[in-house]
Amino acid sequence: VVELDPLELMVLRHAGAAAEDLEEALAELRRRHHDGSFWDTAPADPFPALPQPLEALRRFQREAGFYTTTHAPLESLRQWAQPALQALLQAQVWSADAATQGLWLPWGLEGARPLREPPDATGLLAFLGGEEVVVVGEGTEALQAAHRAGRLFEGGAFGLRCLAAPQSRHPHRPAAGFEYSLEALVAAVEELYRERPFTVLLAEGGAYRLPLVQAIGSRFGVLAVAAASP
């Protein structure tokens, strides 16, 4: 179950473009890695329907934590795009935003599952009663505190473990490239499953969420939910 994210959809639209166009944009991002004024430029608001590849990829690195290897940046992008699109096409997807729904339209017309109604937060908490849940994201301390205090138990108590996503928004580069950070994250979630099997994975916004739910959902058959960035 996946909440659509407009930035991801924009990057996916460009990911199918000619390799030379993408390589040029990725090379420009690498050349300007230390150019603070370039990275600190505020995005246009509202975001254009489909910005140029350079702007979409700049925002994807700045806001979602995607980053490439220095020797094969296009391959890093493909290592994100392939499982991300697979996750979207296999999932029940939703968005409460009309513009985001419009970005999804090309895949919807090609036979992807229709948009579902946004899930209700209270209903989701009620569903979690009795389940074992793993949350991957940032700033989960408040969630853990609410769980310990019993404020989340709409449908009964449930187990909760939290795991931090890699901190890789520009300029941070915790590994050689995104695919290596993703591999380490998937391995950490798999280790949690081996320690104590879980039934629900909640992955929050960021470049890791779609490849992660695709990998863990397909390997262990758990309910995988990917929420977009706030």
Side-chain angles (χ1 to χ4, degrees), residues 130-134 159-161 189-201 220 222:
E131 304 291 338
E132 182 67 25
V133 181
V134 165
L160 177 67
R161 286 171 287 171
V189 176
E190 288 178 335
E191 182 60 28
L192 289 179
Y193 189 90
R194 285 191 288 269
E195 291 173 358
R196 186 169 72 251
F198 54 86
T199 53
V200 180
L201 170 67
F220 300 114
V222 304

Side-chain angles (χ1 to χ4, degrees), residues 177-195:
F178 168 82
E179 56 267 50
Y180 297 97
S181 291
L182 174 63
E183 182 180 20
L185 179 60
V186 170
V189 176
E190 288 178 335
E191 182 60 28
L192 289 179
Y193 189 90
R194 285 191 288 269
E195 291 173 358

Side-chain angles (χ1 to χ4, degrees), residues 79-91:
Q79 289 290 325
W80 172 80
Q82 292 170 356
L85 183 56
Q86 189 176 8
L88 287 169
L89 294 177
Q90 293 177 352

Side-chain angles (χ1 to χ4, degrees), residues 3-162:
E3 181 180 6
L4 296 174
D5 180 278
L7 181 55
E8 290 173 338
L9 294 177
M10 292 170 189
V11 174
L12 282 171
R13 294 277 289 273
H14 284 304
E20 55 267 25
D21 295 336
L22 291 170
E23 288 172 340
E24 180 179 347
L26 291 166
E28 180 69 8
L29 291 174
R30 180 184 175 188
R31 284 193 294 269
R32 302 183 74 167
H33 179 76
H34 299 291
D35 184 350
S37 61
F38 171 75
W39 291 99
D40 292 341
T41 300
D45 189 18
F47 205 173
L50 189 62
Q52 293 299 310
L54 179 62
E55 175 61 9
L57 289 166
R58 182 188 76 93
R59 283 195 60 175
F60 200 40
Q61 292 195 25
R62 183 176 182 265
E63 299 174 19
F66 175 77
Y67 67 111
T68 71
T69 62
T70 57
H71 64 281
L74 185 56
E75 181 59 25
S76 294
L77 181 59
R78 288 171 174 159
Q79 289 290 325
W80 172 80
Q82 292 170 356
L85 183 56
Q86 189 176 8
L88 287 169
L89 294 177
Q90 293 177 352
Q92 298 181 51
V93 297
W94 88 89
S95 175
D97 178 69
T100 303
Q101 294 173 11
L103 287 168
W104 173 249
L105 187 59
W107 290 286
L109 293 175
E110 291 176 4
R113 294 186 180 185
L115 289 165
R116 57 160 289 167
E117 290 296 316
D120 173 76
T122 301
L124 177 59
L125 288 174
F127 168 80
L128 294 179
E131 304 291 338
E132 182 67 25
V133 181
V134 165
V135 175
V136 177
E138 300 177 358
T140 59
E141 294 82 2
L143 179 66
Q144 291 175 300
H147 180 266
R148 286 193 297 269
R151 297 195 300 271
L152 304 180
F153 300 152
E154 293 286 342
F158 59 87
L160 177 67
R161 286 171 287 171
C162 296

